[in-house]
Amino acid sequence: MTKVYPEEQHVAGNNQVMLTVWKKSLLYNCNGYTVIDSKGNLVYRVDNYATQGKNDEIVLMNASGRPLFTIHRKRLSLSDNWLVYEGDNMVKPRFSVKKHMNPLNTTSLASVSTLGSSNNNSKNALYEIERSYTRKCCVMFDERRRCVAEFKLKETRGGIALGGDVFQLVVQPLIDPTIFMAMVIVLDQMFGSSRHFCT
């Protein structure tokens, strides 16, 4: 079987973080994600036993199972909007991710904002996610239009894709890789071929 994790000599330079995302849980009879680093170490995981219906809540965990982010679909919203909470504390969201609905701008996928204080419901734009999810080629830009993270289908040395469920994430030193992994999960919920979490 082909290795799904990057080999050490192919790790991106300049302190970039390169991860491999496999859209599969390591647990039997469970859907999710397995994320490994350049040495083959487990970094993040998502394990979900739900097999029917839409998932309104997904938990991104570290290798030992500690919740890092809880991703929750915002109900009663006119657009596809998700809230990202720190850990499993769903009191105050850290991010809001809103799907772009403009048919004239097909390369703009979603915007990521921070929410204001409890007395101020304003949102501060942090990132824009662009390109094409169906082609598995997405880039996240910060407010100064710098590329801070991107993901694409992972390929072998010969340029052959490892399949539609194995991705390569490259994250710049400017951003916590955990944040972008949470965004990948949200994008899959927004733009995946099935709006269900199971694969």
Side-chain angles (χ1 to χ4, degrees):
M1 180 178 172
T2 305
K3 292 180 181 178
V4 296
Y5 57 87
E7 295 179 6
E8 208 161 347
Q9 62 264 31
H10 289 161
V11 175
N14 301 322
N15 297 319
Q16 294 173 329
V17 176
M18 187 176 286
L19 301 172
T20 297
V21 178
W22 188 18
K23 195 178 172 186
K24 185 174 180 65
S25 170
L26 292 178
L27 298 181
Y28 177 74
N29 232 4
C30 196
N31 301 299
Y33 291 89
T34 301
V35 184
I36 49 184
D37 65 15
S38 59
K39 297 178 182 177
N41 298 316
L42 181 64
V43 181
Y44 307 120
R45 58 187 247 219
V46 174
D47 303 313
N48 193 338
Y49 289 99
T51 57
Q52 303 267 336
K54 295 178 181 177
N55 275 294
D56 289 336
E57 190 174 300
I58 301 166
V59 179
L60 174 63
M61 300 175 287
N62 67 5
S64 61
R66 180 174 63 86
L68 302 173
F69 284 124
T70 298
I71 302 160
H72 183 76
R73 184 189 303 272
K74 187 175 181 181
R75 297 181 181 175
L76 304 177
S77 175
L78 295 176
S79 62
D80 202 350
N81 198 349
W82 290 75
L83 300 175
V84 180
Y85 297 85
E86 197 90 46
D88 56 0
N89 181 357
M90 295 181 60
V91 175
K92 182 181 177 183
R94 182 169 172 189
F95 303 108
S96 170
V97 187
K98 184 176 181 181
K99 181 179 180 179
H100 287 177
M101 307 296 282
N102 185 353
L104 300 177
N105 186 357
T106 57
T107 62
S108 185
L109 302 177
S111 59
V112 183
S113 305
T114 55
L115 300 179
S117 65
S118 57
N119 299 325
N120 179 6
N121 290 326
S122 64
K123 295 181 180 180
N124 300 313
L126 270 184
Y127 306 110
E128 289 290 324
I129 305 174
E130 300 182 4
R131 305 268 172 95
S132 171
Y133 183 81
T134 55
R135 295 179 183 174
K136 302 298 186 285
C137 179
C138 298
V139 179
M140 188 159 71
F141 297 97
D142 66 10
E143 68 279 359
R144 293 170 58 187
R145 291 295 296 171
R146 294 176 297 184
C147 171
V148 293
E150 57 185 315
F151 88 104
K152 58 185 178 181
L153 287 175
K154 182 167 175 57
E155 299 178 345
T156 64
R157 285 189 194 183
I160 300 171
L162 292 174
D165 60 351
V166 182
F167 312 103
Q168 184 175 59
L169 267 63
V170 179
V171 184
Q172 302 297 332
L174 303 170
I175 185 172
D176 177 0
T178 313
I179 295 173
F180 190 53
M181 185 57 216
M183 298 307 121
V184 169
I185 295 170
V186 173
L187 288 174
D188 189 44
Q189 294 299 297
M190 289 180 171
F191 297 100
S193 57
S194 168
R195 294 285 300 271
H196 300 72
F197 189 67
C198 51
T199 57

